[in-house]
Amino acid sequence: MPLHPEIAKFLATLPPPPEGPLDPVAMRADEETHVPPVEERLPLHAVEDLTAHTTTGDVPVRVYTPTDAVRHGVLVYFHGGAFFLGSLDTHDHIARSLAKETGLKVVSVDFRRAPESAFPAGLDDCCAVTRWAAEQGEALGWDGTTLAVAGDSSGGTFAAAVAARAYDDGFDRITHQILYYPSLDLDFDEARYASLRENAVGYGLETAGLKPFNAFYVDSGADPADPLVSPVKREDLSGLPPALVVTAEFDPMRDEGELYGGRLAEAGVPATVSRYDGAGHGFVQHFSWIPEYHRVFTETRDFLTRS
């Protein structure tokens, strides 16, 4: 199907990208101007800003409690933004929708970002908060059942890497991994994936922008050959948690996500790959107000329920 008309209409209003090097400070400030005030956000039973005291240090988190139940399953969420953009506020609406639709308590992680913090600082924070959620289960109100990790775009990279590192370290509490249009191969070799060529221009995120956007992360010490940086390069995927991999038809990174989901299934991991037609990269963040894309949250709920 063609690009969704609402997405096409929005893309037509965007100015051309600025010339010259990317400015993280200015780009972050611009992102924050689009965050709605608290009173306009989806209401939940409770939303609290806390500090997770972890092995990597103190990590700010935002905890979303959907109901007044004493105990809930927990979903630890990592926001996207090419490892240098995004925040608790820019992705607050995703965390709220996840909490409401899944019924889980959502812990959104304010991990350290490039270029200020070198690899693997952000990944370490994500891993540490996931362990903290399990270790502090009584205080957090975890019911001891579901402990899922989820993320969009580069947050999906972190979710896959957290699940893999946890498995290697013998931490077996993670029950699910949920990857929304994840960035799983930071080589960006156009010959490897047809979607890098087919969706190169005209759909928001463009193939030519992948290297400069991810350069802050790579230049901070993240080696694209490292499976914790490019999870698709992990040789043995057996034993990892069940996965939901959501892709977008017009995303340059579509094929690496679908390849990863297929390889998980081949390794014996229960894996669901779900492509959203008419969508481009970032649709969960920017276009989940459209009913056919808001469905991603109920699909997530159904995946968590049956897996």
Side-chain angles (χ1 to χ4, degrees):
M1 65 177 291
L3 191 66
H4 191 285
E6 290 290 347
I7 298 177
K9 183 167 64 175
F10 172 77
L11 293 179
T13 69
L14 296 180
E19 297 181 0
L22 301 177
D23 182 344
V25 175
M27 294 174 73
R28 291 168 184 166
D30 179 69
E31 276 194 319
E32 298 295 332
T33 65
H34 300 287
V35 174
V38 172
E39 59 269 20
E40 295 179 11
R41 302 179 198 178
L42 180 69
L44 296 171
H45 175 68
V47 179
E48 302 174 274
D49 286 338
L50 303 175
T51 299
H53 303 294
T54 78
T55 55
T56 67
D58 290 347
V59 182
V61 297
R62 183 169 294 168
V63 180
Y64 302 79
T65 305
T67 72
D68 62 359
V70 176
R71 298 277 182 266
H72 297 81
V74 168
L75 183 150
V76 184
Y77 171 69
F78 316 121
H79 68 75
F83 308 100
F84 78 99
L85 293 172
S87 70
L88 296 181
D89 284 330
T90 61
H91 288 65
D92 179 84
H93 60 295
I94 297 179
R96 288 173 182 264
S97 292
L98 281 169
K100 179 182 179 182
E101 298 297 346
T102 67
L104 301 180
K105 181 168 290 201
V106 173
V107 178
S108 186
V109 183
D110 190 12
F111 52 82
R112 288 170 288 176
R113 299 175 294 186
E116 294 86 356
S117 298
F119 176 84
L123 176 59
D124 286 346
D125 288 347
C126 293
C127 289
V129 170
T130 303
R131 283 181 174 265
W132 170 85
E135 293 165 356
Q136 300 297 316
E138 184 68 25
L140 190 61
W142 180 40
D143 64 9
T145 58
T146 299
L147 179 60
V149 292
D152 62 298
S153 192
S154 56
T157 317
F158 279 154
V162 167
R165 183 189 270 185
Y167 177 79
D168 291 342
D169 291 346
F171 178 72
D172 62 358
R173 306 306 299 273
I174 297 175
T175 59
H176 306 78
Q177 53 179 321
I178 301 157
L179 318 179
Y180 301 126
Y181 39 82
S183 175
L184 297 172
D185 189 344
L186 270 65
D187 269 345
F188 305 124
D189 179 358
E190 292 185 34
R192 296 190 63 186
Y193 305 107
S195 59
L196 287 173
R197 304 185 299 275
E198 295 170 357
N199 299 328
V201 296
Y203 301 111
L205 178 67
E206 300 194 342
T207 298
L210 294 175
K211 284 186 177 179
F213 264 77
N214 287 274
F216 295 115
Y217 191 54
V218 172
D219 291 349
S220 81
D223 180 359
D226 182 346
L228 291 177
V229 175
S230 298
V232 77
K233 297 183 183 297
R234 183 179 174 92
E235 292 185 4
D236 183 5
L237 301 179
S238 62
L240 295 179
L244 171 63
V245 183
V246 170
T247 65
E249 180 181 9
F250 295 109
D251 184 358
M253 297 189 293
R254 179 196 68 207
D255 290 354
E256 62 200 71
E258 294 179 0
L259 172 65
Y260 190 67
R263 287 192 56 223
L264 285 167
E266 290 172 1
V269 176
T272 299
V273 177
S274 181
R275 180 191 292 190
Y276 279 66
D277 292 337
H281 191 82
F283 77 88
V284 177
Q285 180 184 3
H286 299 294
F287 297 105
S288 57
W289 55 270
I290 299 173
E292 51 263 56
Y293 299 138
H294 187 81
R295 180 176 64 84
V296 73
F297 298 115
T298 54
E299 181 176 23
T300 299
R301 177 199 63 206
D302 294 344
F303 163 73
L304 291 164
T305 301
R306 69 174 182 267
S307 298

